[in-house]
């Protein structure tokens, strides 16, 4: 009987090889999963606006389908993945038993980096990440321009605020105005990037402008590190456009920091990056406990004050992730992360990220930029855990870590002795 996967004849059973099937379809399947993670919220928003009302269960179900598909494609027989998953799930089960609270969102938040990093390591071909980045960037730019120039038509089919109310993220009583955009979709004060574009902050497929800026920064960092990438300049443009259209100050700051890091002639030791988030949290805690400021402003200083106050609001149970209370901490990624998985979970995940094995010398360069992105983003938001941007980011990290550059051919330069032996061997021998 002929094997369906390999085309080889298996006279005993004719069973197909699942690994061979995955290897044959992996590239289009991976790109499809990554694009699905990017646009599924937009599709659900369209359904909620035009077809029927969606629920939070549908949103979580869609995310789990994407995570499950990525896991099924990326899983292998190595024990490392199963060991990490076993420890993580056991640890989360312990935290939920001690709270006591069933918090599936916390489990989902940290399954995303595990799953998509594993997918990247399973198929370490950076051209797949290049292709996914270019296609995703083109989709984001198309819908961004569509929203900017045809806002009324966009809202007619994608009523963003109604979608967030339907999924339970925003209370109906908190909705003000009839713009149909997310609360941050309009800049209340002066626009920071290209003021002539007006107060409208484009959300594109992300439905809110913050993720659009984060996505632009991710594309920019990848283009910065992929010097031999085809269409690299195009990717720079695709990364810059969401930042400009969404007026994303954070995305701009990340691009400036990433460029500065890439130009520095020396690299900080790995141990310095390992202790960086701990140092940031310590500085925030000191600032939160000692600052006499009481007025919050929507600028960088105000955001630092607010995240410091949220971080210092955690008690000892919150620091270990076992507090039964569920306060709103989304404006401080550091406080949110600690409250969800505890300080031991934070140390464990950061250790895996910083000291994870890289199979090529250039992989650490990209990880430094990602570490900068995460440490800065956690100052103002918990959006590093949003699958809309995290799926592509962690796939990039995984495929870059697992990429093995082809061996360079070694040139043999003959010396004087080898040339003499060659000429002697070719000379005619006397009879």
């Amino acid at each position: 009987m002929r094997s369906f996967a390999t085309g080889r004849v298996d006279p005993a059973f004719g069973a197909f090889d699942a690994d061979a099937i995955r290897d044959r379809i992996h590239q289009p399947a991976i790109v499809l999963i990554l694009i699905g993670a990017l646009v599924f919220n937009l599709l659900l928003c369209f359904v909620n606006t035009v077809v029927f009302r969606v629920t939070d269960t549908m949103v979580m179900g869609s995310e789990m389908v994407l995570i499950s598909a990525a896991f099924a494609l990326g899983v292998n027989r190595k024990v490392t993945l199963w060991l990490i998953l076993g420890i993580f799930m056991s640890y989360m089960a312990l935290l939920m038993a001690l709270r006591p609270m069933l918090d599936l969102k916390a489990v989902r938040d940290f399954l995303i980096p595990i799953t998509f990093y594993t997918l990247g390591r399973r198929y370490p071909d950076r051209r797949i990440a290049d292709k996914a980045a270019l296609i995703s960037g083109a989709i984001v730019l198309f819908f961004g321009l569509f929203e900017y120039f045809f806002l009324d038509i966009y809202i007619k089919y994608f009523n963003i605020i109604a979608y967030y109310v339907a999924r339970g993220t925003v209370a109906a009583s908190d909705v003000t105005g009839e713009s149909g955009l997310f609360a941050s979709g309009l800049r209340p004060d002066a626009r920071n990037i290209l003021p002539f574009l007006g107060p409208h902050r484009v959300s594109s497929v992300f439905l809110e402008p913050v993720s659009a800026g984060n996505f632009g920064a991710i594309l920019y960092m990848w283009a910065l590190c992929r010097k031999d990438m085809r269409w690299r300049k195009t990717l720079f443009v695709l990364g810059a456009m969401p930042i400009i259209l969404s007026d994303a100050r954070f995305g701009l700051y990340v691009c400036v920091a990433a460029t500065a890091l890439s130009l520095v002639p020396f690299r900080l030791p790995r141990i310095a990056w390992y202790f960086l988030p701990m140092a940031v949290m310590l500085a925030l805690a000191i600032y939160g406990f000692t600052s006499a400021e009481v007025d919050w402003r929507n600028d960088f200083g105000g955001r630092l004050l607010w995240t410091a106050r949220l971080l210092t609001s955690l008690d000892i149970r919150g620091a270990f992730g076992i507090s039964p209370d569920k306060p709103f901490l989304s404006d401080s990624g550091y406080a949110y992360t600690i409250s969800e998985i505890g300080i031991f979970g934070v140390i464990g995940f950061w250790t895996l990220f910083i000291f994870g094995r890289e199979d090529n010398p250039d992989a650490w360069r990209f990880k430094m930029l990602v570490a900068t992105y995460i440490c800065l983003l956690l100052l103002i938001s918990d959006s590093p855990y949003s699958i809309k941007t995290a799926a592509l980011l962690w796939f990039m990290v995984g495929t870059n870590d697992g990429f093995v550059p082809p061996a360079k051919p070694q040139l043999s330069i003959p010396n004087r002795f080898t040339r003499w032996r060659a000429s002697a061997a070719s000379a005619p021998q006397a009879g």
Side-chain angles (χ1 to χ4, degrees):
M1 184 174 180
R2 186 173 297 275
S3 170
F4 172 75
T6 63
R8 295 189 298 267
V9 175
D10 185 354
F13 303 101
F16 63 86
D17 185 354
D19 288 338
I21 292 179
R22 290 192 302 180
D23 289 339
R24 292 177 63 181
I25 68 170
H26 73 274
Q27 181 169 338
I30 289 172
V31 174
L32 185 62
I33 291 171
L34 294 176
I35 293 176
L38 180 77
V39 304
F40 82 94
N41 272 289
L42 182 74
L43 298 178
L44 288 177
C45 181
F46 174 80
V47 170
N48 184 76
T49 306
V50 178
V51 186
F52 58 84
R53 184 182 178 88
V54 303
T55 63
D56 58 338
T57 304
M58 293 176 59
V59 178
M60 291 187 62
S62 301
E63 292 184 354
M64 292 311 301
V65 167
L66 291 166
I67 294 172
S68 300
F71 183 82
L73 198 61
V75 70
N76 53 41
R77 296 182 176 89
K78 295 182 180 179
V79 70
T80 305
L81 171 62
W82 299 104
L83 181 62
I84 292 173
L85 279 176
I87 294 175
F88 170 66
M89 297 303 292
S90 301
Y91 177 73
M92 293 304 298
L94 175 63
L95 291 186
M96 292 180 192
L98 293 175
R99 285 176 185 175
M101 180 188 300
L102 182 62
D103 190 359
L104 297 180
K105 184 178 182 300
V107 177
R108 183 224 61 170
D109 285 347
F110 295 92
L111 275 180
I112 291 172
I114 294 174
T115 301
F116 286 94
Y117 179 85
T118 300
L119 181 62
R121 295 273 330 194
R122 178 71 169 79
Y123 301 101
D125 186 351
R126 293 190 292 192
R127 292 172 299 180
I128 301 177
D130 295 342
K131 184 177 181 180
L134 288 167
I135 295 175
S136 300
I139 293 173
V140 170
L141 179 58
F142 172 80
F143 279 96
L145 294 175
F146 174 54
E147 177 189 348
Y148 183 78
F149 289 107
F150 306 98
L151 181 59
D152 293 338
I153 301 176
Y154 181 87
I155 295 300
K156 179 180 178 181
Y157 293 100
F158 303 100
N159 192 312
I160 297 173
I161 195 64
Y163 169 67
Y164 278 103
V165 170
R167 59 179 285 183
T169 307
V170 176
S173 58
D174 295 336
V175 176
T176 58
E178 299 179 356
S179 68
L181 297 171
F182 196 66
S184 56
L186 294 172
R187 179 72 76 185
D189 46 10
R191 189 183 180 97
N192 295 274
I193 306 173
L194 302 184
F196 65 86
L197 293 178
H200 176 203
R201 303 178 65 197
V202 169
S203 303
S204 187
V205 301
F206 304 100
L207 307 183
E208 41 86 18
V210 173
S211 292
N214 297 344
F215 176 80
I218 292 169
L219 294 190
Y220 183 89
M221 291 188 300
W222 183 250
L224 204 60
C225 293
R226 293 285 288 121
K227 294 183 178 181
D228 59 344
M229 173 188 172
R230 190 181 181 187
W231 304 103
R232 184 188 183 210
K233 294 181 180 179
T234 302
L235 189 60
F236 273 122
V237 174
L238 292 175
M241 288 303 294
I243 296 175
I244 294 172
L245 291 174
S246 64
D247 194 38
R249 293 173 296 189
F250 173 79
L252 178 62
Y253 298 155
V254 170
C255 292
V256 172
T259 304
L261 279 175
S262 66
L263 296 177
V264 172
F266 61 89
R267 296 182 181 179
L268 292 175
R270 195 177 294 251
I271 194 67
W273 291 99
Y274 179 67
F275 285 109
L276 179 60
M278 290 74 165
V280 172
M281 286 189 285
L282 178 61
L284 287 174
I286 295 174
Y287 180 48
F289 283 123
T290 60
S291 175
E293 293 286 339
V294 293
D295 295 330
W296 181 86
R297 299 180 304 276
N298 188 23
D299 55 16
F300 185 71
R303 299 301 293 269
L304 281 181
L305 174 63
W306 183 239
T307 193
R309 291 287 172 82
L310 291 177
L311 184 63
T312 53
S313 68
L314 297 176
D315 57 12
I316 188 65
R317 292 180 300 176
F320 286 99
I322 58 175
S323 174
D325 300 323
K326 191 74 172 177
F328 178 80
L329 300 172
S330 295
D331 287 339
S332 174
Y334 286 105
Y336 173 84
T337 304
I338 291 176
S339 69
E340 292 292 341
I341 61 172
I343 191 65
F344 293 120
V346 172
I347 293 173
F349 269 98
W350 194 250
T351 301
L352 287 174
F353 172 63
I354 294 296
F355 294 106
R357 189 185 85 247
E358 299 116 18
D359 294 334
N360 72 87
D362 293 331
W364 174 243
R365 184 170 175 240
F366 182 62
K367 287 177 77 171
M368 286 194 304
L369 302 186
V370 174
T372 303
Y373 166 82
I374 293 174
C375 289
L376 290 176
L377 186 54
L378 289 176
L379 286 171
I380 59 174
S381 173
D382 63 349
S383 54
Y385 308 111
S386 173
I387 193 174
K388 294 180 287 188
T389 54
L392 179 61
L393 174 66
W394 288 109
F395 176 78
M396 287 175 169
V397 176
T399 196
N400 202 41
D401 281 359
F403 175 74
V404 179
K408 296 181 179 179
Q410 296 185 0
L411 300 178
S412 177
I413 303 177
N415 55 28
R416 185 178 301 175
F417 177 71
T418 56
R419 288 197 299 268
W420 175 82
R421 287 190 59 186
S423 60
S426 62
Q429 300 294 323

